[in-house]
Amino acid sequence: MNNHTNLHTSIDNDAIPIKIDAVITGAGFAGMYMLYKLRNLGLSACIIEAGKNVGGTWYWNRYPGARCDVWSMEYSYQFSEELQQEWEWTEKYATQPEILRYANHVADRFDLRKDIYFGNRVHSAIFNDDSNNWSIKTDSGLEFLATFCIMATGCLSSVNQPHFQGIDNFKGEIYHTGNWPHHSVNLSDKRVGVIGTGSSAIQTIPEIAKSVKNLLVFQRTANYTIPAHNEFFTPDFIKEIKSDYKGLRERGKMSRGGTAILELNEVNAVDVTPEIREKEFEKRWQAGGVSFMGAFQDLVVNPDSNKTAADFVRKKIQQIVIDPDIAALLSPKNIIGCKRLCVDTDYYETFNRENVKLIDVSSDQIEMITHDGIKVSGNIYALDVIIFATGFDAMTGALLSIDIKGKNNRSLSEKWINGPRTYLGLQTEGFPNLFTITGPGSPSVLSNMMVSIEQHVEWISDCISFMDREGYTSIEPEMDSEDKWVNHVNDIAGKSLRSTCSSWYVGANIDGKPQVFMPYIGGVPTYREICEKIVANQYEGFILTK
Ligand code: N01
């Protein structure tokens, strides 16, 4: 495989800088599979990972109650039939520890660790115009010279830590769900405050409420959540899935969200009677999880249809929560599915507990953090522990925290000053041989991430293999194709209600971030088809150089 071009470099670990074909940043599911694929092509490649172990988001988000809300038998790799046959998922929605065990199993099974530099954070990636390669440096002083620079940095990995005045004076403990400590955290009999009511908070609140003395939930925006109805798998069920795992995966790839269980009912909510609507919503509520939004095909495009689903959930909240004032506060007012729909176990029920209190910070926002606790409208809520469940600088945060400079020393942050610009979410013009796995402009966070990760990794490795065969040394998008893709991504997002609220999808949760709907909303099968067509047309829209 090494005879064709000058793409290949044999790695010399003692040299400084280390010369290598490809440097991958991040040892989550994207980075691990990328390393596996590049190795199989015969390339020298390594991963640089800030954490001390593999797992990416599942390494950092180890808060109590953390689990995935995509069905475990689909939130896993499908590239190896042996792997999927040998691994045994125990629950419908796997817990964080189980997913992390799986990530470790994959790393060991494919002997990936020997090429991972753990505990090293990439701080810069600079393209050398003269030598057509990337100089990649870490905060610990490692330096690499690589032909390919591949970012597997994750979409939700750079935490959003609001800078409340007085935070340094707080006498108790402070944690962030997205960067939870690796040592055990004892919350029992403590007074705990949780800031935020997104997916992370909605998972952790019911769990920690069981052991803490008091739990105060500081809610700025009420969120919609659907019960998970999680369950353990029976041996017979696992056997049945494994007898046609391939079939399940194929159906997943053919579905908009990359998951076979998310069945879309191709009927409009406004075209059926209230009784039929109610029946369908109830069926979905009882089945549990995000497939609730598949109840009718027009829920995210027609505000009237959307309201029928929102009303249904609001009614459920009123039925579950005993105190009508708390039920009213917990009832979201915005479009359902505009912010990411949450999935829970006993979230609304938790507000019936005596030790749990909801603090509304929608109009009177958190003023400051004091020595003793959190101050809102002049009242100080005394606390021993504050948990920030305040989310992430999504999709661009991790990329822009690295000093990335492309041709002519132009920085990525300068190029993306008005929002991310990519072709297919895979590459950006002016940054040759730089790839972003599940980057902005691809389905990524709107899909089962495992499906989208595998599709991108395979696309990138096929591309590198093609370059190798044909003698190309460099690839980057044409400006025109990038412009057209950015416009297309914006146009179709504009047709969906999902682009209409202040969510992290549009960067609204981060002060000063340009507000652009970042993921590609056209669905997994359409996106895959576009990518395949571009390849069939000899990488149409890309500039390939020898
Ligand atoms: O973060 P979020 P998350 N004062 O951004 C509030 C994935 N995920 O970590 O809405 C007070 O959703 C903020 O309030 P508001 C999933 O894709 C998946 O929970 O901005 N409050 C909001 O309530 C998810 O969508 C899984 O008004 C402040 C909360 O903090 C994504 O990660 C599990 C505030 C942040 O919610 C992010 O979820 C967990 C302030 N200054 C996460 N600043 C599963 O697979 C922010 N907030 C199940």
Side-chain angles (χ1 to χ4, degrees):
M1 171 90 211
N2 217 337
N3 337 338
H4 305 292
T5 70
N6 55 356
L7 281 182
H8 296 261
T9 312
S10 56
I11 182 165
D12 178 357
N13 270 310
D14 295 329
I16 297 178
I18 298 166
K19 291 195 175 151
I20 193 162
D21 295 323
V23 166
I24 303 156
T25 303
F29 286 120
M32 285 202 292
Y33 185 35
M34 193 75 247
L35 176 61
Y36 170 82
K37 289 293 281 185
L38 293 183
R39 251 196 212 165
N40 285 354
L41 288 182
L43 266 72
S44 59
C46 71
I47 297 179
I48 303 172
E49 166 58 51
K52 296 211 171 68
N53 209 333
V54 296
T57 196
W58 302 104
Y59 172 85
W60 300 104
N61 287 264
R62 44 178 73 217
Y63 56 85
R67 48 172 92 233
C68 185
D69 62 7
V70 175
W71 199 40
S72 58
M73 294 189 93
E74 294 196 274
Y75 189 84
S76 41
Y77 291 120
Q78 58 184 295
F79 71 84
S80 159
E81 181 60 17
E82 293 80 18
L83 172 66
Q84 67 181 5
Q85 287 296 337
E86 81 199 9
W87 183 261
E88 204 95 315
W89 291 108
T90 61
E91 294 179 67
K92 189 165 162 187
Y93 298 111
T95 61
Q96 174 270 338
E98 190 173 23
I99 301 171
L100 199 55
R101 276 199 298 282
Y102 173 73
N104 276 279
H105 170 76
V106 172
D108 293 335
R109 192 192 196 286
F110 297 104
D111 196 16
L112 299 176
R113 291 178 202 283
K114 65 181 184 208
D115 290 322
I116 306 178
Y117 293 84
F118 290 110
N120 287 277
R121 187 174 284 281
V122 171
H123 82 83
S124 66
I126 314 287
F127 182 71
N128 306 306
D129 293 272
D130 295 337
S131 44
N132 187 42
N133 59 12
W134 286 88
S135 161
I136 295 146
K137 292 184 182 169
T138 73
D139 55 5
S140 51
L142 288 175
E143 187 181 348
F144 298 82
L145 273 185
T147 309
F148 298 100
C149 177
I150 303 175
M151 294 299 176
T153 42
C155 295
L156 295 156
S157 46
S158 177
V159 299
N160 171 32
Q161 172 69 66
H163 298 289
F164 291 115
Q165 190 198 334
I167 191 167
D168 295 335
N169 302 330
F170 181 58
K171 68 169 194 300
E173 301 153 57
I174 295 185
Y175 302 106
H176 194 294
T177 47
N179 192 6
W180 196 261
H182 287 240
H183 57 78
S184 81
V185 174
N186 182 9
L187 298 175
S188 55
D189 297 323
K190 296 200 172 139
R191 297 165 303 170
V192 178
V194 172
I195 303 178
T197 48
S199 294
S200 305
I202 281 174
Q203 286 187 333
T204 208
I205 285 166
E207 201 50 39
I208 62 178
K210 293 175 195 164
S211 65
V212 299
K213 185 175 174 196
N214 296 113
L215 178 61
L216 303 186
V217 177
F218 295 83
Q219 174 186 276
R220 190 165 69 180
T221 311
N223 237 321
Y224 296 94
T225 174
I226 308 296
H229 299 309
N230 188 37
E231 58 194 3
F232 286 96
F233 291 135
T234 62
D236 281 350
F237 181 77
I238 293 177
K239 210 168 143 199
E240 188 194 322
I241 293 289
K242 287 191 174 177
S243 69
D244 184 26
Y245 224 143
K246 270 206 168 94
L248 177 82
R249 302 301 203 163
E250 279 313 309
R251 292 196 297 283
K253 281 188 200 167
M254 294 313 291
S255 100
R256 252 185 103 75
T259 146
I261 57 158
L262 211 166
E263 240 177 81
L264 179 68
N265 180 14
E266 286 171 5
V267 173
N268 293 329
V270 286
D271 293 343
V272 298
T273 64
E275 291 72 28
I276 292 176
R277 270 202 303 266
E278 183 76 10
K279 204 170 157 204
E280 184 65 26
F281 287 140
E282 185 62 35
K283 190 180 99 188
R284 302 256 170 177
W285 180 271
Q286 294 308 333
V290 291
S291 67
F292 182 82
M293 288 307 288
F296 295 99
Q297 65 177 2
D298 59 344
L299 293 183
V300 290
V301 288
N302 181 340
D304 294 335
S305 301
N306 191 278
K307 187 172 176 305
T308 63
D311 284 343
F312 177 88
V313 177
R314 285 191 279 258
K315 202 172 73 196
K316 286 284 183 194
I317 299 169
Q318 283 154 25
Q319 287 164 2
I320 297 168
V321 180
I322 296 163
D323 181 331
D325 293 336
I326 303 291
L329 267 183
L330 285 170
S331 297
K333 295 176 184 61
N334 47 3
I335 300 277
I336 185 168
C338 192
K339 289 193 181 210
R340 165 75 149 67
L341 190 67
C342 304
V343 176
D344 71 281
T345 299
D346 294 339
Y347 178 67
Y348 295 126
E349 289 82 348
T350 299
F351 291 89
N352 294 332
R353 294 178 69 105
E354 296 238 314
N355 68 336
V356 177
K357 196 168 167 196
L358 185 65
I359 317 289
D360 176 20
V361 293
S362 57
S363 40
D364 287 332
Q365 299 227 351
I366 293 172
E367 251 173 87
M368 64 182 295
I369 291 178
T370 70
H371 180 257
D372 295 316
I374 295 179
K375 189 172 176 190
V376 184
S377 330
N379 297 321
I380 294 173
Y381 295 93
L383 297 166
D384 303 310
V385 180
I386 299 176
I387 298 174
F388 283 86
T390 45
F392 303 90
D393 182 353
M395 304 208 69
T396 56
L399 288 169
L400 296 179
S401 70
I402 301 170
D403 179 18
I404 301 177
K405 291 201 175 82
K407 286 198 311 207
N408 305 315
N409 218 29
R410 183 164 60 140
S411 74
L412 188 65
S413 47
E414 187 190 313
K415 176 169 177 185
W416 286 7
I417 192 131
N418 295 318
R421 301 188 66 77
T422 71
Y423 184 35
L424 304 173
L426 276 162
Q427 279 213 295
T428 187
E429 172 276 331
F431 296 75
N433 294 353
L434 174 81
F435 293 97
T436 50
I437 303 176
T438 65
S442 71
S444 60
V445 289
L446 294 178
S447 65
N448 173 0
M449 285 299 290
M450 293 300 276
V451 166
S452 289
I453 282 171
E454 284 190 309
Q455 188 249 339
H456 262 195
V457 167
E458 284 159 17
W459 194 97
I460 294 166
S461 59
D462 287 351
C463 170
I464 291 175
S465 174
F466 168 82
M467 289 170 70
D468 194 30
R469 273 195 319 274
E470 302 295 323
Y472 292 113
T473 54
S474 164
I475 183 165
E476 66 169 299
E478 288 166 8
M479 177 70 103
D480 184 49
S481 52
E482 180 171 296
D483 286 345
K484 284 186 181 136
W485 184 251
V486 170
N487 291 339
H488 173 60
V489 171
N490 286 335
D491 285 349
I492 53 168
K495 295 188 176 85
S496 164
L497 297 172
R498 293 188 113 152
S499 63
T500 59
C501 67
S502 54
S503 67
W504 58 255
Y505 292 130
V506 297
N509 62 332
I510 303 296
D511 285 344
K513 187 164 173 169
Q515 298 208 8
V516 178
F517 193 85
M518 293 179 284
Y520 174 71
I521 209 168
V524 167
T526 307
Y527 176 79
R528 185 182 291 269
E529 220 173 90
I530 295 169
C531 289
E532 283 170 4
K533 199 167 147 215
I534 283 167
V535 172
N537 290 337
Q538 302 292 302
Y539 291 88
E540 187 180 3
F542 288 95
I543 303 164
L544 282 149
T545 316
K546 293 206 172 177

